[in-house]
């Protein structure tokens, strides 16, 4: 199988079972497909390694660009601080201050400095690590404590880890920048939810996000108690396909607490995951040329 | 009371190295107080970066000036933004509740003296300062993003 398929597992809400589902999907897929890569894009709290205990083989420090002010050339005009949308600069007479942890590397200051007094410096924000679990590729990013901007690290992680075959992206919770950056390279977004008002509320946010980004998506209900009307209604109204559900199962929760993902505890669920993967392939293939137009053109 | 727009340009400020506490220091001194309201009778704002107003007392003119603080709606770096603004206004002394590390770095670099322990109204806080009852702050006394939490 030469083609590649990238599936992001996301959910508006934390604690819905994203990681349990994404790691299960990666395990099941790796038994079936030639190359499978799991990428833990929740770089602030990566925990996929608990369920996929890969041996880490390589580690790379990731840097972002930040301004460095050449005091010989700076005339303290303050223009860079004026145009900085993130207040990362304060220019006082004799003391140009850079707050690198607020910098978003937009390049505005060093491009527009009238005195050409700003050099491009480097700041480490975290690491990308990789290894194997059997023949499955395992990738994760770990953001350094105190770093506020995770999208550049997610970017670096995906640039290194995405390849041919099946790529499973484990997204951070929520719908903010790190999630957008995680899903924007995906061919399909698998939205995990639980059949509760909280689950539905956050699913609505996540569904609005993928719709706005023009990404094909589908829903999986986790911890289903049999009565999933609250989510089924939303799927009907919004036209999101409901791919399936995983029943509430105490043993899965116990396994989770012991570091086992869902399919390790419930091997009979494997066909469900394979079935979802197959349906995702069909949906993505069905969109054909239309799919490429849907990606917002947000090339980075 | 004079209203000054938040976007008044950056003024190059000669740092007053000799400025001392209280009214004893020679010459004109501008003292800023973090406030929730626009008048000297208003309650202080214990936050610095995201305070609503900065009320500035001119020791020579003996009058107050109301400055809407620029950082109160800032997306990030509010302390830096407010401190930068304050320095641009030629203020030498700041009376505040909590000041975070980023703001402190800017205020330090500009030689602005920071005093903490303000309470009650803005006027009252100025009196405390004049009576030498406030504490000189040389290191930040709040964590970053302190002002985003509920007002203390």
């Amino acid at each position: 199988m030469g083609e590649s398929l990238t599936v992001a597992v996301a959910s508006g809400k934390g604690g819905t079972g994203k990681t349990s589902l994404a790691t299960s999907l990666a395990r099941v897929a790796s038994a079936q497909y030639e190359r499978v890569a799991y990428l833990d894009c929740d770089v602030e709290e990566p925990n996929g390694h608990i369920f996929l205990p890969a041996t880490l083989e390589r580690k790379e420090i990731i840097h972002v660009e930040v301004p460095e002010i050449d005091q010989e050339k700076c005339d303290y005009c303050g223009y860079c601080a004026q145009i900085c949308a993130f207040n990362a600069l304060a220019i006082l007479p004799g003391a140009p201050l850079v707050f690198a942890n607020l910098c978003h590397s937009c390049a505005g200051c060093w491009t527009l400095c009238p005195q050409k007094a700003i050099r491009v410096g480097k700041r480490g924000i975290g690491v990308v690590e990789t290894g194997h679990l059997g023949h499955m590729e395992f990738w994760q990013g770990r953001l350094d404590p105190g770093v506020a901007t995770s999208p550049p690290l997610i970017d670096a992680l995906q640039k290194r880890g995405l390849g041919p075959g099946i790529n499973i992206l484990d997204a951070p919770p929520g719908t903010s920048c790190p999630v957008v950056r995680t899903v924007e390279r995906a061919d399909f977004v698998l939205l995990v939810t639980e059949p509760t008002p909280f689950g539905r509320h956050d699913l609505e946010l996540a569904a609005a996000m993928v719709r706005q980004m023009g990404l094909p998506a589908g829903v999986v209900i986790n911890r289903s108690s049999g009565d999933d009307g609250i989510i089924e209604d939303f799927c009907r109204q919004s036209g999101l396909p409901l791919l399936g559900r995983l029943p509430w199962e105490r043993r899965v929760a116990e396994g989770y607490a012991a570091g086992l993902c869902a399919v390790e505890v419930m091997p009979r669920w494997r066909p469900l995951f394979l079935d979802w993967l197959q349906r995702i392939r069909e949906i993505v293939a069905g969109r054909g040329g239309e799919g490429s137009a849907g990606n917002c053109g947000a090339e980075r | 009371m004079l209203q000054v727009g938040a976007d008044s340009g950056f003024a190059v400020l000669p740092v007053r190295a000799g400025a001392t506490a209280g009214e004893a220091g020679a010459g004109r001194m501008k003292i800023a107080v973090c406030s929730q309201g626009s008048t000297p009778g208003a309650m202080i704002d214990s936050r610095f970066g995201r305070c609503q107003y900065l009320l500035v007392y001119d020791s020579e003119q003996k009058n107050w000036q109301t400055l809407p603080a620029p950082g109160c709606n800032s997306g990030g770096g509010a302390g830096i933004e407010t401190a930068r603004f304050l320095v641009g206004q030629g203020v030498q002394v700041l009376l505040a509740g909590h000041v975070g590390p980023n703001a402190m770095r800017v205020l330090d670099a500009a030689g602005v003296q920071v005093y903490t322990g303000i309470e009650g109204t803005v006027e009252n806080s100025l009196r405390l300062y004049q009576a030498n009852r406030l504490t000189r702050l040389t290191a930040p006394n709040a964590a970053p993003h302190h002002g985003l939490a509920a007002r203390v």
Side-chain angles (χ1 to χ4, degrees):
Chain A
M1 265 160 238
E3 89 268 51
S4 106
L5 177 71
T6 301
V7 179
V9 180
S11 75
K13 184 179 167 299
T16 41
K18 265 184 309 297
T19 295
S20 189
L21 200 131
T23 52
S24 291
L25 198 58
R27 272 186 190 273
V28 170
S30 72
Q32 202 80 13
Y33 294 88
E34 211 166 284
R35 180 190 177 272
V36 173
Y38 166 87
L39 282 71
D40 195 343
C41 299
D42 188 0
V43 299
E44 290 180 44
E45 293 289 339
N47 60 354
H49 61 88
I50 296 170
F51 307 98
L52 299 174
T55 321
L56 296 178
E57 292 141 22
R58 269 185 296 132
K59 175 154 107 172
E60 186 188 346
I61 296 174
I62 304 300
H63 296 90
V64 292
E65 294 180 333
V66 293
E68 261 175 27
I69 296 176
D70 183 344
Q71 287 221 50
E72 301 284 292
K73 294 186 189 161
C74 179
D75 64 356
Y76 315 112
C77 72
Y79 184 62
C80 54
Q82 239 177 61
I83 61 166
C84 180
F86 304 100
N87 290 316
L89 294 149
I91 307 301
L92 305 169
L97 302 178
V98 176
F99 296 88
N101 56 340
L102 297 181
C103 174
H104 282 54
S105 310
C106 76
C109 56
W110 59 76
T111 307
L112 299 174
C113 171
Q115 299 299 321
K116 300 261 168 281
I118 305 182
R119 289 186 296 259
V120 185
K122 268 188 359 179
R123 169 175 186 251
I125 57 165
V127 294
V128 166
E129 295 167 314
T130 181
H132 283 84
L133 181 68
H135 75 280
M136 183 204 305
E137 274 183 37
F138 175 92
W139 293 82
Q140 70 177 8
R142 278 195 293 119
L143 196 68
D144 287 343
V147 176
T149 46
S150 64
L153 183 59
I154 295 168
D155 218 30
L157 170 67
Q158 293 192 354
K159 275 191 180 131
R160 286 156 182 77
L162 289 180
I166 308 273
N167 301 293
I168 307 291
L169 309 179
D170 196 347
T175 50
S176 61
C177 311
V179 184
V180 170
R181 184 55 57 86
T182 299
V183 303
E184 74 187 358
R185 281 207 182 89
D187 301 307
F188 189 91
V189 183
L190 191 59
L191 298 171
V192 190
T193 186
E194 55 175 27
T196 64
F198 296 119
R200 172 168 170 154
H201 173 267
D202 289 11
L203 175 63
E204 287 176 15
L205 297 176
M209 174 188 75
V210 293
R211 190 181 313 121
Q212 195 164 349
M213 294 178 73
L215 291 167
V219 175
V220 166
I221 300 171
N222 193 19
R223 299 192 199 104
S224 164
S225 56
D227 176 16
D228 303 327
I230 189 167
I231 302 298
E232 286 163 1
D233 286 350
F234 175 70
C235 288
R236 246 193 315 276
Q237 288 162 22
S238 61
L240 274 178
L242 179 58
L243 298 187
R245 58 196 98 212
L246 293 173
W248 158 247
E249 185 68 61
R250 186 185 169 89
R251 275 179 296 162
V252 172
E254 286 168 356
Y256 181 88
L260 301 172
C261 66
V263 288
E264 285 179 282
V265 183
M266 304 292 287
R268 64 185 168 88
W269 285 0
R270 289 178 158 264
L272 288 178
F273 285 88
L274 277 179
D275 176 51
W276 298 340
L277 213 47
Q278 189 50 40
R279 283 206 48 202
I280 290 169
R281 292 170 68 93
E282 284 164 15
I283 294 172
V284 172
R287 288 174 62 96
E290 189 195 334
S292 57
N295 210 350
C296 306
E299 190 52 50
R300 279 177 187 270
Chain B
M1 222 167 305
L2 178 68
Q3 287 279 346
V4 174
D7 61 344
S8 61
F10 185 84
V12 176
L13 168 81
V15 176
R16 291 172 44 91
T20 52
E23 296 286 295
R28 182 179 187 183
M29 189 141 60
K30 285 171 112 181
I31 303 159
V33 187
C34 304
S35 172
Q36 293 180 35
S38 58
T39 62
M43 296 299 286
I44 56 114
D45 198 328
S46 73
R47 305 168 304 172
F48 170 67
R50 291 184 188 279
C51 68
Q52 298 290 305
Y53 293 93
L54 289 161
L55 293 198
V56 179
Y57 181 74
D58 188 319
S59 67
E60 193 180 81
Q61 313 263 326
K62 307 222 180 290
N63 65 1
W64 289 94
Q65 186 185 10
T66 302
L67 305 173
C72 60
N73 296 316
S74 178
I80 297 167
E81 192 174 2
T82 305
R84 222 165 50 198
F85 172 74
L86 206 59
V87 173
Q89 294 294 324
V91 164
Q92 291 92 26
V93 175
L94 167 68
L95 311 185
H98 298 280
V99 180
N102 288 341
M104 203 65 201
R105 236 181 96 192
V106 177
L107 296 167
D108 250 0
V112 174
Q113 297 181 23
V114 184
Y115 288 83
T116 183
I118 58 172
E119 53 185 56
T121 64
V122 169
E123 272 170 328
N124 182 56
S125 297
L126 178 70
R127 278 196 295 272
L128 289 175
Y129 167 73
Q130 287 166 336
N132 265 320
R133 302 227 338 250
L134 298 182
T135 314
R136 177 81 189 266
L137 200 61
T138 50
N141 64 348
H145 306 140
H146 170 85
L148 286 173
R151 203 170 282 171
V152 181

